[in-house]
Amino acid sequence: MKVLYVASEALPFAASGGLADVAGSLPQALKRRKVDCRVVMPLYTNKIRDEMRAKMKFITSIMVPVSWRRQYCGIFEAKAGGVTYYLLDNEYYFKRDALYGHYDDGERFAFFSRAVLEILPHIDFKPDIINCNDWQSALVPVYYSTLYGSKEGYTGIKTVFTIHNIQYQGKYGNEILGDLFGLGEECASLLQFGDCLNLMKGGIECANKVTTVSNTYAGEILDPWFSHGLDPILKERSYKLSGILNGIDTKNYDPEKDADIFYNYSAKEPADKAKNKAALQELFGLPVNADTPVMGIVTRLVAHKGLDLIKRVMWEILSSTDMQLVVLGSGDWEYEAFFKELAAAFPEKVGLRIGFIPDMARKIYAGSDLFLMPSKSEPCGLSQMVALRYGSIPIVRETGGLKDTITDSGDGKGNGFTFKSYDAYDMLDAIRRALAAYADKEYWNKLVVRALKCDNSWGKSAKEYIKLYEELV
Ligand code: GLC
C-alpha cells in the first residue's frame, strides 16, 4: 500500500505544534508495517537548518496553477527516520518568519494543495491513499474530487482528511473562490459555510474518510460546545468520521537515552528521576528540596489549554501549599502577564521561562512530579503522554485525548488525576488529591512506575490507520 501523507509541518524540518510530531513519527510507524508512506510539506526556507538543507536532493521544478497564475514549485527530496519527505519550494510563499498567520495564507496553502497533486507524475509515486491534515491541506480532497479524480494518471486514489484541531478552519472571503482557488461557481457549495469559504468544511465534504486524533474528540466535535460551528456538517457526514488516537515517538522521548535531560532513568531503575528534580529546581532558581512536589506546565499559552482555570486558583494553591511550579510556554499576552506576576509574587515557588524551548521542556518532564494540563478542549494532546513517559503524573481534564489516555488513580490502577467539568474548583480538588497522594511515598513510587510503564507508542494507532486505508482501497 502506498500512502502520501500531506502536512503543513513535520519534524525534523519545521514545527509549530503537535501536527509536526505526528507527521514526523506516524509515517515511520506505517513504514515499519510495510506501508510505503511518504510525506509532502512546504519547504520553509527560513526554518530548515542549513545542514538539513544541504542533504536535500533537488528532483525537478514544475509550474503549478494558482487559478489563472502559474507559480514555480521546486521539488526536493530528503530522508528522515527512513521515510522519504518531499519538500515543495517557492520562496515567495514559504520564505517567511512564521509558518502561518500571513495575510495570504489562503493563497499559500491553495498553492501547496494544488502542488501536492501536480507533483505526482514527477516523483514517480502514485499513492493509493492521500492523507491530508488540517485546513492547510484541506483543499487537496477538494481539488481531487473536482479537478483531478478523472484525469489520466490520477484515477482511483482515495483521500483521508484528519482534523487535529477544529478551531482552526481556514476561513476566507467568497470572492477568492475563482481568482485564487481556481474553482467555478458550481463548486461553491463544497466550500461555502456561513458567510465565507471554509477550507476545513471542504475537506470534510470531499474526503472519502474523515478522522480526528482521539475517539472522544470524534464524538465531542458533533457538539456545538466543541465544534466551532462545524457540528451540522460533521453530523451529516458522521458516517465517514472516526477517531484514531495519536501515539508518541517513544524512541525520541526516552528517559533512558534522552541526552537533553540531566540524568537518565527508566521504569526498572527510576531512582535518578530524583536527581533530575534537584537539577531542575536549581536551573529555575528554586530551593532544592526533594520533598516539595514540583508541578510542571509546558504549553502554548492559549485559552483552550485551560489557562483560565489556572488563573483562577493558582494564587490560592501557592499561598496555602508547599509546592513548586515550573512553567514553560509562550503565547497570548494575557497569560504571559499572569505567569510573570505569579513568578514575581512567589519567587521561591514559581520558575518561569517564556518561549518554545524543546530541550528545556524535556528537563521539565524529567524533573517534575506532576504535570498539569486542564485543557478546555484537547483533540489528542501529546504532552500528557510525554509526561507519563518521563514519570511525571498528569493532572488533566477529562476531554478529548486526555480522557482517552489518562485514568484517575483513585482506584490504585490509573496513571493520573482527572476532573470532569471545566471548573477551577474541580481542578483544585484534583490537584489536592494529587498532592495528598504525593505525600504517601509508597503509593506515589508505585504510581510513577505505572506511569513509566504506560505504552503510548505508535504501534496500535498505526494498525488502525492501516485498517482504515485498507477499507478504502
Ligand atoms: C493539535 C491538537 C493536539 C494534538 C495535535 C496532534 O495540536 O491541539 O491536541 O495532540 O494536534 O494531533
Side-chain angles (χ1 to χ4, degrees):
M1 166 130 46
K2 293 184 188 161
V3 176
L4 186 64
Y5 198 79
V6 187
S8 56
E9 53 182 88
L11 283 169
F13 301 102
S16 78
L19 169 59
D21 285 85
V22 175
S25 51
L26 169 61
Q28 288 182 37
L30 292 170
K31 200 112 204 242
R32 283 196 289 277
R33 284 162 188 78
K34 305 277 174 282
V35 174
D36 184 356
C37 179
R38 307 188 190 181
V39 183
V40 55
M41 66 179 285
L43 198 165
Y44 299 103
T45 321
N46 289 347
K47 297 277 160 192
I48 297 176
R49 295 198 310 272
D50 287 347
E51 67 266 27
M52 272 185 177
R53 188 71 208 260
K55 281 191 209 142
M56 284 177 191
K57 194 174 98 196
F58 176 74
I59 302 181
T60 185
S61 70
I62 57 171
M63 298 305 278
V64 169
V66 175
S67 187
W68 50 268
R69 307 160 192 81
R70 295 287 174 275
Q71 306 287 25
Y72 168 88
C73 174
I75 309 172
F76 285 79
E77 189 186 307
K79 294 260 188 239
V83 172
T84 299
Y85 286 75
Y86 297 105
L87 293 108
L88 305 188
D89 174 39
N90 177 307
E91 293 199 350
Y92 169 66
Y93 288 132
F94 299 127
K95 189 176 180 178
R96 311 257 176 123
D97 286 336
L99 268 46
Y100 325 120
H102 304 286
Y103 79 96
D104 57 348
D105 279 359
E107 177 177 346
R108 297 168 71 222
F109 288 99
F111 162 79
F112 174 64
S113 300
R114 194 81 195 249
V116 166
L117 292 162
E118 286 287 327
I119 64 168
L120 294 185
H122 304 275
I123 57 174
D124 196 23
F125 183 66
K126 186 181 171 203
D128 303 300
I129 303 280
I130 301 183
N131 192 337
C132 308
N133 293 279
D134 281 348
W135 68 266
Q136 292 92 336
S137 52
L139 276 173
V140 176
V142 178
Y143 286 144
Y144 184 76
S145 66
T146 53
L147 303 177
Y148 289 82
S150 51
K151 260 172 96 167
E152 206 194 316
Y154 284 89
T155 52
I157 300 175
K158 301 290 185 213
T159 54
V160 176
F161 178 59
T162 301
I163 300 171
H164 294 260
N165 193 334
I166 203 159
Q167 186 176 353
Y168 309 107
Q169 298 175 1
K171 294 182 184 172
Y172 298 96
N174 286 313
E175 64 282 5
I176 65 174
L177 181 72
D179 192 49
L180 280 180
F181 294 164
L183 294 167
E185 271 306 312
E186 72 284 2
C187 303
S189 65
L190 294 174
L191 288 171
Q192 257 163 6
F193 189 60
D195 53 4
C196 61
L197 302 174
N198 184 316
L199 299 187
M200 187 169 269
K201 187 234 177 189
I204 296 167
E205 293 287 18
C206 296
N208 299 109
K209 291 267 186 197
V210 178
T211 70
T212 183
V213 288
S214 70
N215 223 347
T216 294
Y217 195 61
E220 285 174 343
I221 54 179
L222 302 178
D223 184 311
W225 204 82
F226 290 96
S227 73
H228 291 268
L230 281 178
D231 52 291
I233 303 299
L234 285 163
K235 270 195 205 129
E236 252 171 58
R237 305 292 173 204
S238 61
Y239 62 89
K240 58 177 174 179
L241 172 68
S242 63
I244 303 179
L245 191 69
N246 289 331
I248 53 167
D249 182 343
T250 46
K251 252 195 180 158
N252 178 15
Y253 293 114
D254 181 1
E256 214 175 336
K257 306 236 168 69
D258 194 329
D260 285 328
I261 65 176
F262 298 104
Y263 301 92
N264 292 113
Y265 58 97
S266 65
K268 270 195 205 123
E269 290 180 47
D272 277 0
K273 183 166 169 64
K275 291 194 194 163
N276 282 287
K277 174 170 169 176
L280 182 72
Q281 289 171 321
E282 203 176 313
L283 180 70
F284 278 84
L286 301 171
V288 177
N289 184 339
D291 291 329
T292 304
V294 173
M295 182 186 286
I297 297 177
V298 177
T299 183
R300 274 184 297 130
L301 297 175
V302 293
H304 79 89
K305 294 293 177 186
L307 298 165
D308 293 319
L309 302 188
I310 297 178
K311 268 181 84 173
R312 184 75 185 77
V313 293
M314 195 49 84
W315 209 277
E316 186 176 328
I317 303 173
L318 289 169
S319 315
S320 59
T321 318
D322 175 34
M323 66 165 263
Q324 295 171 347
L325 181 69
V326 172
V327 183
L328 171 66
S330 62
D332 294 352
W333 176 87
E334 176 195 350
Y335 303 117
E336 290 191 4
F338 164 74
F339 282 113
K340 282 180 190 160
E341 271 176 43
L342 199 69
F346 298 95
E348 301 271 282
K349 289 189 168 178
V350 179
L352 170 69
R353 291 285 188 288
I354 299 291
F356 171 73
I357 315 170
D359 65 301
M360 182 156 318
R362 288 163 184 264
K363 291 182 175 68
I364 298 177
Y365 293 121
S368 57
D369 301 299
L370 295 156
F371 189 80
L372 182 59
M373 200 167 168
S375 305
K376 194 175 204 171
S377 75
E378 196 59 74
C380 176
L382 301 171
S383 313
Q384 83 280 12
M385 294 192 260
V386 179
L388 283 177
R389 179 92 175 123
Y390 286 80
S392 179
I393 304 302
I395 302 174
V396 305
R397 192 171 95 77
E398 291 171 25
T399 184
L402 295 175
K403 185 168 177 195
D404 296 351
T405 52
I406 308 299
T407 48
D408 198 276
S409 60
D411 58 0
K413 288 190 211 123
N415 54 10
F417 296 88
T418 71
F419 63 100
K420 273 203 179 67
S421 349
Y422 191 66
D423 179 306
Y425 285 89
D426 285 4
M427 179 185 80
L428 183 61
D429 177 60
I431 293 176
R432 296 241 185 269
R433 284 192 295 118
L435 293 172
Y438 178 81
D440 179 347
K441 280 291 153 262
E442 199 183 324
Y443 180 91
W444 191 259
N445 291 339
K446 276 192 201 147
L447 175 56
V448 170
V449 170
R450 270 208 306 280
L452 287 167
K453 282 186 177 160
C454 286
D455 179 10
N456 286 304
S457 57
W458 271 104
K460 191 162 162 273
S461 319
K463 270 191 216 150
E464 284 183 49
Y465 274 100
I466 293 171
K467 196 166 149 244
L468 180 98
Y469 297 155
E470 276 169 352
E471 271 165 34
L472 280 175
V473 296

